[in-house]
Amino acid sequence: MSVFDEDVLTGAKPSVARVYDFFLGGKDNYPVDREFAHRLAAACPAIDFWAEVRWNRLLMLRAARFAARDGIDQFIDIGTGIPLTPNLHEVAQQVNPGVRAVYVDNDPVVLAHARALLPSTPQGATAYIDADLRDPQEILRQAAATLDLDRPIALSLVAVLHFVRDDEGPYEIVAALRDALAPGSRLVITHAVKRPDLPDPLRKDYEQVGIQYQAAMSTGTLRTPEQVGNLFGDWPLLDPGQVDVPAWRSEEHIDVPLWRDADEARQDPNAPRNVVPFPGGTTGSGQELPSLFVGGVAYKPAPGGTAA
């Protein structure tokens, strides 16, 4: 998410959404975004950002497919970012063509691409909401035009909560969304984390992520894995719990043709190659380091404490 900034829109400053798009192998980014991405990588040499953001997106897609297989046919994705195929609804509609999905973002960079999100199966539906995560009641009000809030919904908060400052109430925001969802709903969260238990200089590499984003875009609040876990509230976590994102049901393969082709298409010849062996894998260096992102999927029990 970002506030309106003419310099961001024109490419004079980097954009959160466009930098993420670049790491994912997309084409909707500017030189300033690519320059920031390479500065970030140079400042944090232990972190393979190209691999990290793809693992992060794979968790979102895998979670959507699992939810659809379990009968959930309504989805809300907050902090959507620039669309890249496959989108969440495309994966879910492969399981159930009747899936309905609402995408939410307040970034004008994303809004410019929002129409690309809209194609749906004839049986299902998609909608885009221009709204701020910090106003959960407005999101729910608008989502009700497409979804039935009295039935289970899979809510995705993927790589977005670290752009909400502590003084903006991230725990209260997520609690308001959880409280509004019906029993049987699911909550998908991924979050960039700091790793205070790592020895230097590795610890500083993770801390630098937030520092670099704050310096360039005035946003970015990394939290510890324990703090991220508190965002789920009292909702039980599905197996395997909260884990580093590469480990979340990594046996499930999702084909992303863009990533297979991205290495050849990438303009920078010095960028890392083959950073995400399919269906998963390790970084090119083979280092056994914790992920930049942790994530998990929780569910809202039915009255009496059982899963709906």
Side-chain angles (χ1 to χ4, degrees):
M1 300 181 304
S2 68
V3 296
F4 181 87
D5 187 329
E6 190 68 28
D7 287 340
V8 172
L9 288 178
T10 60
K13 291 182 180 179
S15 151
V16 168
R18 292 194 308 254
V19 169
Y20 197 80
D21 174 80
F22 171 65
F23 282 135
L24 283 174
K27 298 180 180 179
D28 293 307
N29 50 77
Y30 295 155
V32 68
D33 306 303
R34 297 188 285 273
E35 290 165 7
F36 171 77
H38 288 294
R39 278 202 315 276
L40 179 66
C44 314
I47 300 172
D48 187 337
F49 291 93
W50 284 266
E52 290 283 356
V53 298
R54 298 178 191 191
W55 279 324
N56 181 72
R57 188 167 178 86
L58 281 172
L59 187 153
M60 179 190 75
L61 297 176
R62 288 167 174 157
R65 185 160 67 184
F66 271 98
R69 285 176 177 171
D70 286 347
I72 294 178
D73 60 2
Q74 302 188 110
F75 293 78
I76 301 176
D77 178 30
I78 303 178
T80 295
I82 295 171
L84 284 169
T85 299
N87 291 301
L88 180 152
H89 74 278
E90 293 171 318
V91 169
Q93 287 180 346
Q94 289 173 0
V95 178
N96 177 0
V99 158
R100 305 172 73 85
V102 171
Y103 293 97
V104 184
D105 212 304
N106 74 327
D107 188 331
V109 172
V110 175
L111 182 60
H113 298 273
R115 289 182 180 177
L117 289 170
L118 298 180
S120 168
T121 59
Q123 305 95 316
T126 61
Y128 178 86
I129 295 176
D130 180 9
D132 194 319
L133 173 58
R134 300 168 187 84
D135 190 355
Q137 297 307 323
E138 177 61 16
I139 290 173
L140 293 165
R141 185 189 70 79
Q142 292 193 51
T146 303
L147 308 178
D148 180 356
L149 301 186
D150 292 327
R151 295 177 52 243
I153 291 172
L155 169 64
S156 292
L157 296 168
V158 171
V160 64
L161 288 165
H162 45 249
F163 297 119
V164 179
R165 300 191 310 268
D166 288 335
D167 63 0
E168 293 175 315
Y171 297 96
E172 292 79 7
I173 290 168
V174 180
L177 292 166
R178 290 197 315 265
D179 290 346
L181 298 182
S185 293
R186 293 190 180 180
L187 174 60
V188 183
I189 293 176
T190 71
H191 197 298
V193 293
K194 52 190 175 183
R195 300 284 187 173
D197 296 335
L198 286 178
D200 289 336
L202 293 176
R203 175 180 60 83
K204 293 182 178 179
D205 278 11
Y206 290 81
E207 291 176 351
Q208 271 295 317
V209 177
I211 292 170
Q212 293 291 322
Y213 269 89
Q214 283 287 347
M217 299 178 233
S218 302
T219 188
T221 302
L222 274 64
R223 299 180 171 94
T224 65
E226 181 180 12
Q227 289 171 323
V228 174
N230 292 335
L231 290 164
F232 290 102
D234 59 356
W235 286 25
L237 284 158
L238 299 175
D239 289 337
Q242 179 180 294
V243 294
D244 288 1
V245 291
W248 200 87
R249 305 198 178 188
S250 57
E251 71 282 358
E252 278 282 330
H253 173 56
I254 289 184
D255 187 37
V256 185
L258 170 68
W259 298 348
R260 293 203 311 265
D261 302 334
D263 289 333
E264 295 300 324
R266 189 178 292 129
Q267 296 180 8
D268 183 353
N270 296 316
R273 305 292 178 176
N274 300 317
V275 294
V276 183
F278 284 82
T282 61
T283 61
S285 65
Q287 289 178 295
E288 293 295 331
L289 294 174
S291 177
L292 173 62
F293 295 96
V294 299
V297 179
Y299 67 92
K300 185 170 188 174
T306 60

